[in-house]
Amino acid sequence: MNFLLRLGLACLCVAAPAVVAAPIPVEVRESAPGRFELWREGAPYYVRGAGGSHRLDRLAAAGGNSVRTWGAEEAEKILDEAQRLGLTVCAGLWIEHENQGFNYNDDAAVQAQIERHCRAVDRLKDHPALLVWGVGNEAEMGASNPRLWEVIEAVAAYIQRVDPHHPVMTVTAGVPPWAIRELMQRCPSVDLLGVNSYGPLTRVADDVRAVGWRGAYLVTEWGPDGTWEVEKTPWGAEIEATSTATAVQRAYRYAAILGDRDRCVGSYAFLWGQKQEGTPTWFGLFTEAGGETESVEMLAALWSRRDPSGLTPRIGSLRLNGAAALPGVRVASGARAAATCPIIRGEQLRVTWELLRERMRKSEGGAFEPRPPTLPVRRARESLEAGAARLEFNAPSEPGAYRLFIYVQAPGGQVATANIPFRVE
């Protein structure tokens, strides 16, 4: 038995006693040859979920049934709230990333990581809202030390030993053949494959089969095209789709998820909340102020199998001085600039404009990324009429890369968003 598995066994000796509770049994069943289902409390359970821990009441109201977390921080609070709302939780255990500085040759650090996860398992394993364990998220990215897989197996094996009620999953970025081969060879205690996929989502069903994974999988993150998948301006600014176009993307991609009912047992949309990644509006289903984008309306319709409410504003592409984001908009320092955004749907709307510098630090794998500060918009004229929002403003005097954002809000709080990068020269 290797060193890391011995550490996993050692957790049996150091972990605190678990709190007595009433777990609800969950299992992966092969209901027919090559066809898998997730079963909970003796009945099939298809995951209609989202990643994030905020606004869980809205998730339940929208017809979602599960939430995904990435680490054990505040896990008890999230599980308790999920239980109150009739939701389940895919409980994440964060496996450290080698490309973020963790040294898998440091035995003490490795042992501390495994023991930390063992203690979390003992705390949480009997909670009735627990659905599955997510041991690691994209930990293979930039990894070169094979001990990573031994750590995943040590934690997964410990879970299998102490928690017979909940399947164990690990999550990869897409379906990288080398990583799936390592997983199948080195981690026999993993029951489920989790796949994070954005642009290539429609190929995931074929990719999972082509790489040789024979079991069930969950789509653990999905959404619009990622920042790494889109076209860029000549100075490297990524082109973000409007919230209207993003909702259409999500509907199309959800159809691909539903299309593989033999292997795929559900999904978690990303992100049920808001974060700075690329921009403050790129992945979040909500704005920083808590406004719901059209993607929330779209998911609610898809999950509940009803028509969209039609309450969220819809907009077209934001243009600056009559030009689209590509091939790149340049404005002279301090010069007058004119922004225009078509309004496709909405009444009694309120429009807000925001100016940011382009982000200075680009994160990888969802790591923390500082939000650029808001800059003053030196307005000259502003209007909302004739099916369009318009703004005339003076460009910043300091040269550099910037982004102009528009937020179009309905009376009920639903919001449409768009932005355009430009360069001041």
Side-chain angles (χ1 to χ4, degrees):
M1 185 180 297
N2 66 40
F3 168 74
L4 293 173
L5 285 179
R6 288 200 302 273
L7 289 179
L9 286 171
C11 289
L12 286 169
C13 302
V14 301
V19 176
V20 176
I24 295 178
V26 181
E27 62 177 321
V28 180
R29 290 189 185 180
E30 190 171 7
S31 56
R35 181 177 176 84
F36 296 87
E37 293 178 310
L38 204 61
W39 280 58
R40 180 174 185 260
E41 206 169 12
Y45 189 91
Y46 188 80
V47 176
R48 304 184 306 273
S53 57
H54 302 288
R55 302 292 302 273
L56 299 189
D57 55 341
R58 185 67 184 98
L59 177 63
N65 63 5
S66 192
V67 59
R68 181 191 174 208
T69 66
W70 288 262
E73 300 81 11
E74 298 187 334
E76 288 90 347
K77 176 182 176 182
I78 296 168
L79 283 160
D80 288 345
E81 185 177 7
Q83 176 68 11
R84 179 179 65 82
L85 294 168
L87 303 172
T88 62
V89 179
C90 170
L93 299 172
W94 184 261
I95 298 296
E96 300 293 345
H97 288 214
E98 191 177 354
N99 68 352
Q100 294 178 5
F102 189 83
N103 181 7
Y104 276 92
N105 288 321
D106 184 336
D107 291 346
V110 166
Q111 180 175 4
Q113 179 179 193
I114 294 175
E115 290 181 356
R116 181 174 70 251
H117 294 323
C118 290
R119 289 192 295 269
V121 169
D122 285 330
R123 289 198 327 268
L124 308 175
K125 65 183 178 66
D126 293 324
H127 200 289
L130 181 61
L131 183 70
V132 299
W133 296 100
V135 182
N137 180 74
E138 300 183 353
E140 82 287 350
M141 291 184 66
S144 59
N145 194 325
R147 297 182 85 186
L148 162 69
W149 303 102
E150 296 176 4
V151 168
I152 292 174
E153 172 58 17
V155 176
Y158 179 76
I159 295 172
Q160 296 286 11
R161 194 174 304 114
V162 302
D163 180 10
H165 301 297
H166 303 104
V168 183
M169 173 179 68
T170 196
V171 176
T172 56
V175 191
W178 74 272
I180 306 304
R181 287 193 295 267
E182 291 286 296
L183 175 64
M184 291 188 293
Q185 179 181 349
R186 298 177 181 270
C187 303
S189 299
V190 170
D191 304 300
L192 271 168
L193 174 64
V195 178
N196 294 345
S197 185
Y198 293 87
L201 178 57
T202 56
R203 303 197 304 267
V204 164
D206 292 335
D207 291 345
V208 165
R209 289 161 174 79
V211 81
W213 180 260
R214 299 182 183 278
Y217 70 93
L218 275 163
V219 177
T220 38
E221 285 183 25
W222 67 278
D225 289 343
T227 55
W228 58 95
E229 296 170 326
V230 298
E231 293 184 284
K232 300 179 177 64
T233 66
W235 56 90
E238 298 89 349
I239 310 301
E240 181 180 353
T242 67
S243 60
T244 300
T246 294
V248 174
Q249 275 189 337
R250 286 186 185 271
Y252 176 73
R253 288 171 182 170
Y254 194 66
I257 293 170
L258 293 176
D260 188 12
R261 294 305 290 262
D262 285 342
R263 296 285 192 89
C264 183
V265 295
S267 66
Y268 291 92
F270 187 84
L271 169 73
W272 196 263
Q274 183 276 336
K275 70 177 296 194
Q276 165 68 38
E277 187 172 351
T279 73
T281 56
W282 200 294
F283 291 103
L285 290 151
F286 296 82
T287 65
E288 290 173 283
E292 297 183 7
T293 68
E294 191 176 352
S295 288
V296 174
E297 178 182 311
M298 183 66 70
L299 286 172
L302 294 168
W303 287 336
S304 303
R305 297 184 179 181
R306 62 173 185 255
D307 292 335
S309 66
L311 297 176
T312 311
R314 287 181 177 170
I315 58 177
S317 296
L318 180 59
R319 289 177 172 261
L320 190 58
N321 292 340
L326 288 177
V329 181
R330 292 174 167 84
V331 181
S333 172
R336 181 69 57 87
T340 305
C341 184
I343 306 296
I344 300 171
R345 180 180 73 185
E347 297 179 353
Q348 300 179 355
L349 302 175
R350 180 167 62 88
V351 174
T352 304
W353 300 88
E354 186 177 32
L355 180 65
L356 302 181
R357 280 192 178 274
E358 192 61 52
R359 60 177 175 160
M360 299 299 293
R361 195 180 90 196
K362 297 185 179 183
S363 63
E364 292 186 3
F368 171 77
E369 183 178 292
R371 182 197 192 278
T374 299
L375 303 175
V377 181
R378 294 183 292 170
R379 292 171 171 81
R381 183 184 303 172
E382 184 177 352
S383 66
L384 174 60
E385 57 188 20
R390 295 178 175 84
L391 173 71
E392 292 184 23
F393 67 105
N394 294 325
S397 57
E398 184 177 347
Y402 296 84
R403 245 175 230 266
L404 181 67
F405 289 75
I406 185 172
Y407 301 85
V408 180
Q409 183 171 327
Q414 301 87 352
V415 180
T417 70
N419 66 74
I420 185 168
F422 66 98
R423 189 166 186 85
V424 172
E425 298 181 339

